[in-house]
Amino acid sequence: RRRFLSKPLEDLFYFCDSAQEVSAYVKQVSGNGKNNNNDIDIRRTLKELYRSLVSLEKIGSPAISILGSHAITKDSLDYQNARLIAREASRLGISVLYRGHRGISEAVWKGYQEGKKLSEGSLARAISLWVKDYRDYAPTGDIQLGFTYPFEPKIASIRHSKAFIFMPGGLGTLDLLFEVLCLMQTQKINRAPVILVNKDFWQPLDSWLTHVAQPAGVISGADLKRYQVVNTAREATEIIEEELTN
């Protein structure tokens, strides 16, 4: 309903209740003869990831990722919350990573600049992770890192963030959210604050995980404690300040 998805749900999911339905659908879609990874240039990917590693190791301050939809408008509360969170992080000397240049990412860039003005000598930096030739990107940020494939900025975000702030968003936002939670669950990365901002948006997902996924035995009660759902920028920044500056 918020138009965070560019395609209708029926083009993204196929719901079925039997093995026969699954088999019929697989036969229907498996005749295109294309593999998803045929066009991935491994050498280019390694070069871009190495460049991001070298660039981000020089930041000199802890960093957080702030993510959400490019469709968020300037007059929305989500936009203002993202701006306020980035401003406070910047004021505290915490760098911000974001993806894109519109919506939530635009709010992050604006808030970061406001915070820098309030904290002389701050080591905070704004790092823009973007996919080349994607939605006519207009570069912002102190450090601008372009990637060829969408999975690359995800790796950079996870590698260099000490906390993750998720504003309302679509499949890209959900992709990184569950990637982070899964990596923490499997102890592939250290535990870090995962903060979901806007209870109205995130509560249905939290409810599904609590009342459907957990009773089904596919996640545990410990998994539900890996994230926090808050409603205001102040709540989010208090968690960040407590976790990253103490």
Side-chain angles (χ1 to χ4, degrees), residues 85-150:
I85 293 169
R87 182 174 71 179
E88 185 63 11
S90 177
R91 188 188 69 80
L92 293 170
I94 299 171
S95 296
V96 292
L97 292 89
Y98 58 97
R99 297 167 65 178
H101 74 288
R102 291 200 292 262
I104 292 299
S105 294
E106 178 184 286
V108 171
W109 173 235
K110 286 186 176 181
Y112 162 79
Q113 294 177 93
E114 294 168 358
K116 286 285 282 188
K117 294 177 182 178
L118 300 174
S119 181
E120 185 175 348
S122 171
L123 295 176
R125 295 292 182 268
I127 302 99
S128 174
L129 311 174
W130 54 285
V131 178
K132 297 174 182 177
D133 300 325
Y134 182 65
R135 296 195 181 98
D136 300 320
Y137 184 77
T140 61
D142 301 318
I143 301 174
Q144 303 162 10
L145 296 172
F147 300 92
T148 303
Y149 308 106

